[in-house]
Amino acid sequence: MTDLRDDRDSWSSENCSVARAMDIVGSRSTVLILREALLGTRRFDDFVRRVGVGEPAMAARLKEMVAAELLERIPYREPGQRTRHEYQLTRKGRELLPVITALRNWGDTWAANDTGPSVIATHHDCGEPIRAVLRCAAGHDITDGDVDIIPGPGLVRRD
Amino acid sequence: MTDLRDDRDSWSSENCSVARAMDIVGSRSTVLILREALLGTRRFDDFVRRVGVGEPAMAARLKEMVAAELLERIPYREPGQRTRHEYQLTRKGRELLPVITALRNWGDTWAANDTGPSVIATHHDCGEPIRAVLRCAAGHDITDGDVDIIPGPGLVRRD
DNA sequence: GCGCTGACTTCAGCAAACGCAAGTCAGACC
DNA sequence: GGTCTGACTTGCGTTTGCTGAAGTCAGCGC
């Protein structure tokens, strides 16, 4: 038996990727900004309007997200306009798409309202809806009880 | 062109599954409680110790999560002990596993520390590590740019 | 019926987050 | 040189979340 759940008290969760991820993307407004950014929003006032938070909160969040390297602040210039800055997703930010998709899937199923989902993500090539699913490196689909939890290199054992 | 991103101002995000999901599971402690519950923790004081929040905060969170039907409060009895209650994941709670897994994958890649991940989820049958991946209903793997966003039944159009 | 223990609750008190309203600032256009 | 606009910043009052310490409560064993 290598499953760590069988002896949960022999190790601690102090070095936990889930916790560290939540420290970065753990707030509601950060996730909604990511949702908008993945939908193509780039400009400050569009974020304010579409996410529905006030300007001060948005300015603070965007600054945090640039510091966390989820977004990049890039100058651009529309003809006849002065230079402005837009916020573009970095690779680090774009790779949160599975998280947002998994959240959207779950919300569609378990927190739906009467009308059904407002938007559906589909595969560009075939038009079928996209879901976040669990799969192992050998290609098997994972269902609920198929998961083992084994030690990684960074595991902190308790004495 | 049906992609909604091309005309982002013609519809609003007021009916959004991501936002509704975040209203339920959007706080750091809720996610960490889910992490622990998925690792098998069930008792109040174990949650307090393993998640690392105080008793009052934990009591409040667990109550919220029971009200949100992520957890069920179930009486049990160990021999020689009085009746107690434990918190078990409901189906609604268990189905957040892809969200937690996607967060863990992302954290392992983008918010890792020097030591590497502390735990690894593996497939019970074959031992290979598990990841949350995007796939369409026709079975195609989705990479970054393959996503279209199309209207769902609950879309709120702007006039 | 007394003590013990696990599972909470109650009571300050602090700190971060947010909304609203108003102010600032830079640069293109006139 | 003045105006206008998008992109913020500042100030303030409120809400929310959390911590620590102390108190409560329900049984089982004795």
Side-chain angles (χ1 to χ4, degrees), chain A residues 10-29:
Chain A
S10 72
W11 56 283
S12 93
S13 294
E14 69 191 56
N15 170 27
C16 171
S17 293
V18 180
R20 281 198 304 274
M22 285 302 288
D23 288 337
I24 298 173
V25 293
S27 85
R28 183 185 142 92
S29 43

Side-chain angles (χ1 to χ4, degrees), chain B residues 69-82:
Chain B
E69 296 179 309
L70 300 177
L71 298 175
E72 235 175 334
R73 193 164 175 274
I74 294 178
Y76 74 101
R77 173 89 182 272
E78 283 174 12
Q81 299 284 311
R82 62 180 242 235

Side-chain angles (χ1 to χ4, degrees), chain A residues 6 12 16 52 56 58 62 68 72 92 101 104 107 114 132 138 147 155:
Chain A
D6 298 335
S12 93
C16 171
M58 182 58 70
L62 289 175
E72 235 175 334
K92 185 173 178 182
T101 303
R104 193 192 299 282
D114 315 337
V147 184
L155 187 71

Side-chain angles (χ1 to χ4, degrees), chain A residues 14-140:
Chain A
E14 69 191 56
N15 170 27
C16 171
S17 293
V18 180
R20 281 198 304 274
M22 285 302 288
D23 288 337
I24 298 173
V25 293
S27 85
R28 183 185 142 92
S29 43
T30 302
V31 172
L32 296 187
I33 291 167
L34 280 169
R35 175 200 71 188
E36 281 307 321
L38 288 164
L39 290 171
T41 299
R42 298 187 183 184
R43 284 173 39 178
F44 181 81
D45 64 334
D46 287 335
F47 278 117
V48 170
R49 202 155 26 84
R50 292 170 187 167
V51 172
V53 315
E55 293 179 1
M58 182 58 70
R61 284 276 160 263
L62 289 175
K63 206 164 281 185
E64 276 176 29
M65 291 172 74
V66 169
E69 298 179 311
L70 301 176
L71 297 175
E72 235 175 334
R73 192 164 175 273
I74 294 178
Y76 74 102
R77 172 90 183 272
E78 283 175 13
Q81 298 284 312
R82 61 182 241 237
T83 303
R84 303 190 187 292
H85 295 269
E86 60 178 12
Y87 297 90
Q88 285 189 21
L89 283 168
T90 60
R91 184 167 163 74
K92 185 173 178 182
R94 269 196 312 278
E95 290 197 6
L96 284 161
L97 180 60
V99 176
I100 305 289
T101 303
L103 270 175
R104 193 192 299 282
N105 292 161
W106 186 87
D108 286 343
T109 304
W110 293 103
N113 61 8
D114 315 337
T115 61
S118 60
V119 299
I120 301 170
T122 58
H123 185 196
H124 180 74
D125 296 347
C126 75
E128 294 293 323
I130 293 172
R131 289 186 59 84
V133 299
L134 299 179
R135 192 166 56 196
C136 76
H140 303 123

Side-chain angles (χ1 to χ4, degrees), chain A residues 8 15 17 20 23 26 28 36 94-95 108 110-111 118 120 122 124 131 133 135 144 146 148 152, chain B residues 8 15 17 20 23 26 28 36 94-95 108 110-111 118 120 122 124 131 133 135 144 146 148 150 152:
Chain A
R8 179 63 186 82
N15 170 27
S17 293
R20 281 198 304 274
D23 288 337
R28 183 185 142 92
E36 281 307 321
R94 269 196 312 278
E95 290 197 6
D108 286 343
W110 293 103
S118 60
I120 301 170
T122 58
H124 180 74
R131 289 186 59 84
V133 299
R135 192 166 56 196
D144 209 25
D146 292 349
D148 281 349
Chain B
R8 178 64 188 80
N15 169 27
S17 293
R20 283 199 303 275
D23 288 337
R28 182 185 144 91
E36 279 308 321
R94 267 196 313 279
E95 289 197 5
D108 284 344
W110 294 103
S118 60
I120 301 169
T122 58
H124 180 74
R131 290 185 59 85
V133 299
R135 191 166 56 196
D144 209 25
D146 293 349
D148 281 349
I150 66 168

Side-chain angles (χ1 to χ4, degrees), chain B residues 3 19 28 46 63 83 90 95 113-114 126 131 135 138:
Chain B
D3 196 308
R28 182 185 144 91
D46 287 333
K63 207 165 280 184
T83 303
T90 60
E95 289 197 5
N113 62 9
D114 317 334
C126 74
R131 290 185 59 85
R135 191 166 56 196

